[in-house]
Amino acid sequence: METVSMKRNASATWVGDLRHGKGLVTTGSGTLSLSQYFERGDGERMGANPYELFAAAHAACFSMTLADELADAGFSPDRINTTATVIIEQLPVGWTITAIQLDVLANVPRAKQSDFIRATLKAKTNCTISRLLKTNIAMSAKLEDSENRGTENARRSTHGKATAPRP
């Protein structure tokens, strides 16, 4: 069996020390072209930081994976909105991403909350970025216009085991 692979790239250049320096990031597709980034957002400088870029990548990957999982379950989503929040903590080894919170709001005609939660748990497990991580990934997911209008939370442990919330 032949192995199929894809390669995507981005490059970054950093100038100066960490506190006062700045960087430029460019993606292979050209979507980001010499876009400024900084160590942390201080509100005065325009540009993202690496943690925001990582959160954006995870949110995008998860949304696409969820669309695929919903399609496999026989549903066609009108819209999936995912926000990924990266939690960074100062640990003895240095600044570390310790968790990621995924907040999902979707409009999926005909889907019931149970169908939606099942698809989100599969998506969280199967998302390429989720599989890359060695951190806890928390998630909340809400289906708009469903018969059961509750928000369900799901958690994935560092061992990759997804668990559904208890009623």
Side-chain angles (χ1 to χ4, degrees), residues 16-160:
D17 65 13
L18 183 61
R19 203 167 202 132
H20 300 95
K22 65 180 179 180
L24 296 174
V25 64
T26 300
T27 57
S29 68
T31 301
L32 296 177
S33 180
L34 299 176
S35 298
Q36 288 193 357
Y37 74 96
F38 301 97
E39 184 267 330
R40 59 188 128 100
D42 60 11
E44 293 178 22
R45 299 191 278 185
M46 293 298 294
N49 65 50
Y51 314 112
E52 290 173 326
L53 296 171
F54 185 79
H58 197 187
C61 181
F62 177 84
S63 291
M64 292 186 310
T65 305
L66 178 55
D68 191 45
E69 293 296 341
L70 287 165
D72 286 350
F75 301 104
S76 180
D78 285 343
R79 182 182 43 76
I80 299 170
N81 183 348
T82 304
T83 300
T85 303
V86 174
I87 293 92
I88 307 144
E89 295 181 51
Q90 177 70 52
L91 300 179
V93 296
W95 287 100
T96 303
I97 295 174
T98 57
I100 294 173
Q101 171 71 35
L102 295 175
D103 295 303
V104 185
L105 180 63
N107 186 301
V108 186
R110 300 183 305 102
K112 294 181 180 167
Q113 187 71 15
S114 59
D115 299 323
F116 181 66
I117 294 303
R118 198 169 15 261
T120 61
L121 290 172
K122 284 183 176 180
K124 189 168 62 121
T125 300
N126 294 330
C127 168
T128 306
I129 301 291
S130 295
R131 289 195 321 258
L132 170 71
L133 302 173
K134 292 183 181 180
T135 187
N136 287 320
I137 301 170
M139 177 177 66
S140 71
K142 182 176 179 182
L143 179 63
E144 290 181 330
D145 299 324
S146 69
E147 296 173 4
N148 180 3
R149 292 187 178 265
T151 298
E152 300 287 340
N153 291 310
R155 301 212 181 278
R156 177 176 170 239
S157 72
T158 55
H159 303 295

